[in-house]
Amino acid sequence: MSTIPYKIYLEESEMPTQWYNVRGDMKKKPAPLLNPGTLQPMTIDELSGVFCRELAEQELDDTSRFIDIPEEIRNFYRMYRPSPLVRAYCFEEKLQTPAHIYYKFEGNNTSGSHKLNSAIAQAYYAKKQGLKGVTTETGAGQWGTALSMACSYFDLDCQVYMVKVSYEQKPFRREVMRTYGAKVTPSPSMETEVGRRINQEFPGTTGSLGCAISEAVEAATTQEGYRYVLGSVLSQVLLHQSVIGLETKAALDKYGIKADMIIGCAGGGSNLGGLISPFAGEILRGENQYEIIAVEPASCPSLTRGRYAYDFCDTGKVCPLAKMYTLGSGFIPSANHAGGLRYHGMSSVVSELYDQGILKARSVEQTSVFEAAEMFARVEGILPAPESSHAIRVAIDEALKCKETGEEKNIVFGLTGTGYFDMVAYQKYNDGEMNDYIPTDEELNVALSKLPKVE
Ligand SMILES: *Cc1c(COP(=O)(O)O)cnc(C)c1O
């Protein structure tokens, strides 16, 4: 009998009291956000017009290694954290692998994902600043759900611009948000100038994340007492998500387990960045070695096929420019792509770590992702989100490699959430109607050729 339990829980007293900012340990820092008008680095005052002051400070802070988690946030975290680190004994048995597989499960809250970790922090700072409310965008709906929940906790107004196609296809997500008191508007809408412009230019469009971001930013900057919040990509979001990695590291340390490989799915990079931060910090300080793998969809391959360049974060080009691995802000994944992780760019922190060789990236095709999801669901008792299942795919591939070599590697992956609102995608898979679409170089070049010229 092994002494490692199926579920490794930390005591509440062992939960982190500070977030870890990996930028503090990076010798070469991620490139700064630029003002799209002047091409100069964004100042704290410029950012504070869009974001809450303290969040703007966190965004620009690339030297503090640790930042205190305010007590109000720690108390909220206690309601659903620490999240379990699970030793996937049943899955190992099924795969007949000598590898030891662990997953950090973040789906134990109503949003069904890790996004609540940052939503509650962002709502807290908005409340502390005395704001009336916040605006945001949501694609599939997890972020909007998490934020609505966080805002209702702090009595803040929450306005969500939801990508129209999701608004229509995922009415239940919308209803969860409304239950928490959020106002949900399908995007592009006729309520903002940028929405009206996009509707006029592309009649009948079903929207995109990039459009919804532009609308939410406009809504924040044109209403007194409102700021804009974002659920991924930004460095402040990675900072808040470091709670995932800190808990994972603490739980592994508690049982004397050294991870060999850490795997996470990568959309905008926030869960991956949060999970790997403490481990990447050890690599950067020369204390340890880990193999870190970011997994992205083959149909939206920003790390594996994108360019490391300054780009717009949104379609309406109202946001600052960020240097990141990007497919171009005009890139929209193929309509048959059902697995989430559709953002055109990648967090600047993750991009820079990737550029420095601290992490590797792999792209996987969606039918193989759903195959992995199904295998996992059948033995581990959790129906995984399609996004999370990208990480499961590579964990399986690596565990099967160990089977050939006989290596007892410790594989840790992030299970970011549950997939109960993604049953239309599962249905497609079950009906054999899912196919894999990989964009050609020519197709990728269309959006890449329109990257802004910055240098
Ligand atoms: C949003 C989301 C992701 C992708 O976002 P990242 O910022 O890349 O972490 C992954 N999994 C789930 C369940 C999500 O909701």
Side-chain angles (χ1 to χ4, degrees):
M1 241 336 247
S2 170
T3 53
I4 296 166
Y6 278 66
K7 288 203 182 69
I8 305 178
Y9 278 107
L10 294 175
E11 301 295 326
E12 278 184 18
S13 60
E14 294 169 314
M15 286 172 67
T17 57
Q18 296 180 309
W19 290 303
Y20 169 62
N21 181 15
V22 69
R23 289 171 289 167
D25 276 317
M26 293 170 74
K27 285 201 189 74
K28 179 162 179 263
K29 310 287 182 190
L33 292 172
L34 299 184
N35 179 315
T38 64
L39 299 187
Q40 293 303 304
M42 291 290 287
T43 63
I44 183 84
D45 287 333
E46 286 171 329
L47 274 183
S48 302
V50 181
F51 301 123
C52 303
R53 185 85 192 181
E54 276 197 66
L55 291 167
E57 282 167 11
Q58 291 178 0
E59 194 60 34
L60 296 184
D61 186 345
D62 56 14
T63 51
S64 307
R65 296 178 57 232
F66 288 96
I67 293 174
D68 286 342
I69 307 176
E71 196 183 344
E72 290 87 340
I73 300 175
R74 279 196 280 140
N75 288 342
F76 187 89
Y77 278 170
R78 284 198 182 98
M79 188 240 305
Y80 70 101
R81 311 198 66 83
S83 71
L85 181 70
V86 183
R87 172 77 186 270
Y89 283 116
C90 300
F91 201 35
E92 289 169 20
E93 175 70 25
K94 198 77 181 173
L95 296 170
Q96 287 290 300
T97 174
H100 297 184
I101 306 176
Y102 298 84
Y103 59 89
K104 179 73 170 163
F105 181 49
E106 291 291 322
N108 262 330
N109 66 79
T110 313
S111 79
S113 78
H114 63 286
K115 294 205 171 66
L116 192 56
N117 300 332
S118 183
I120 195 63
Q122 298 194 45
Y124 166 80
Y125 290 114
K127 186 69 183 181
K128 195 174 161 210
Q129 191 171 322
L131 298 178
K132 288 186 201 141
V134 293
T135 70
T136 199
E137 75 294 327
T138 198
Q142 290 98 317
W143 168 244
T145 306
L147 188 70
S148 326
M149 193 176 166
C151 285
S152 70
Y153 184 75
F154 285 121
D155 254 328
L156 281 166
D157 185 38
C158 180
Q159 302 175 357
V160 182
Y161 288 85
M162 185 170 188
V163 177
K164 195 179 274 172
V165 61
S166 299
Y167 182 90
E168 284 159 4
Q169 287 178 359
K170 300 196 172 185
F172 295 148
R173 274 275 182 213
R174 184 176 81 208
E175 252 12 83
V176 178
M177 288 184 254
R178 291 182 58 212
T179 303
Y180 284 114
K183 177 181 167 215
V184 188
T185 308
S187 165
S189 74
M190 295 303 276
E191 292 184 11
T192 63
E193 204 154 302
V194 63
R196 288 190 289 273
R197 199 176 72 215
I198 292 167
N199 269 316
Q200 190 169 24
E201 223 172 295
F202 309 96
T205 176
T206 51
S208 73
L209 263 185
C211 295
I213 295 176
S214 305
E215 284 206 276
V217 172
E218 183 184 319
T221 50
T222 52
Q223 295 176 89
E224 175 74 30
Y226 281 76
R227 290 292 186 281
Y228 167 69
V229 296
L230 179 61
S232 180
V233 187
L234 296 172
S235 303
Q236 56 185 278
V237 181
L238 258 75
L239 174 73
H240 307 146
Q241 296 297 356
S242 69
V243 69
I244 305 173
L246 292 164
E247 281 184 10
T248 303
K249 181 83 177 58
L252 291 171
D253 287 350
K254 190 169 168 176
Y255 284 88
I257 303 155
K258 158 78 169 62
D260 295 304
M261 183 174 269
I262 301 149
I263 303 167
C265 64
S270 75
N271 87 82
L272 173 83
L275 172 67
I276 69 166
S277 276
F279 301 95
E282 289 189 342
I283 300 176
L284 289 163
R285 297 191 302 272
E287 296 167 4
N288 242 325
Q289 274 308 321
Y290 302 97
E291 194 172 350
I292 299 176
I293 306 177
V295 191
E296 59 184 14
S299 50
C300 191
S302 49
L303 286 173
T304 50
R305 295 176 68 197
R307 206 167 287 162
Y308 194 27
Y310 269 103
D311 193 9
F312 293 99
C313 297
D314 63 322
T315 314
K317 306 182 179 177
V318 296
C319 293
L321 293 165
K323 187 173 180 192
M324 55 187 176
Y325 276 86
T326 179
L327 296 165
S329 63
F331 178 82
I332 294 181
S334 149
N336 72 29
H337 170 71
L341 311 175
R342 348 171 36 100
Y343 189 62
H344 66 274
M346 182 60 60
S347 134
S348 307
V349 179
V350 169
S351 292
E352 180 56 34
L353 288 172
Y354 178 61
D355 203 56
Q356 293 181 18
I358 304 289
L359 59 99
K360 297 179 192 151
R362 226 176 266 178
S363 72
V364 290
E365 293 167 26
Q366 66 174 352
T367 48
S368 76
V369 167
F370 278 82
E371 182 194 25
E374 192 184 81
M375 279 170 76
F376 183 83
R378 289 182 181 183
V379 288
E380 284 290 327
I382 294 170
L383 186 93
E387 293 90 342
S388 323
S389 305
H390 287 72
I392 302 178
R393 175 72 262 169
V394 169
I396 293 175
D397 293 344
E398 291 299 322
L400 293 178
K401 273 187 210 160
C402 289
K403 189 170 169 176
E404 278 172 21
T405 60
E407 280 174 290
E408 287 186 22
K409 272 191 193 168
N410 289 322
I411 300 174
V412 177
F413 73 87
L415 188 69
T416 49
T418 49
Y420 302 107
F421 286 105
D422 300 286
M423 295 326 288
V424 173
Y426 272 93
Q427 181 181 19
K428 272 202 188 122
Y429 175 73
N430 290 331
D431 287 343
E433 280 169 10
M434 181 169 277
N435 50 42
D436 295 319
Y437 187 79
I438 302 178
T440 62
D441 288 343
E442 288 70 33
E443 281 167 321
L444 290 184
N445 280 335
V446 175
L448 282 173
S449 67
K450 295 192 184 116
L451 286 174
K453 307 253 175 308
V454 182
E455 227 52 80

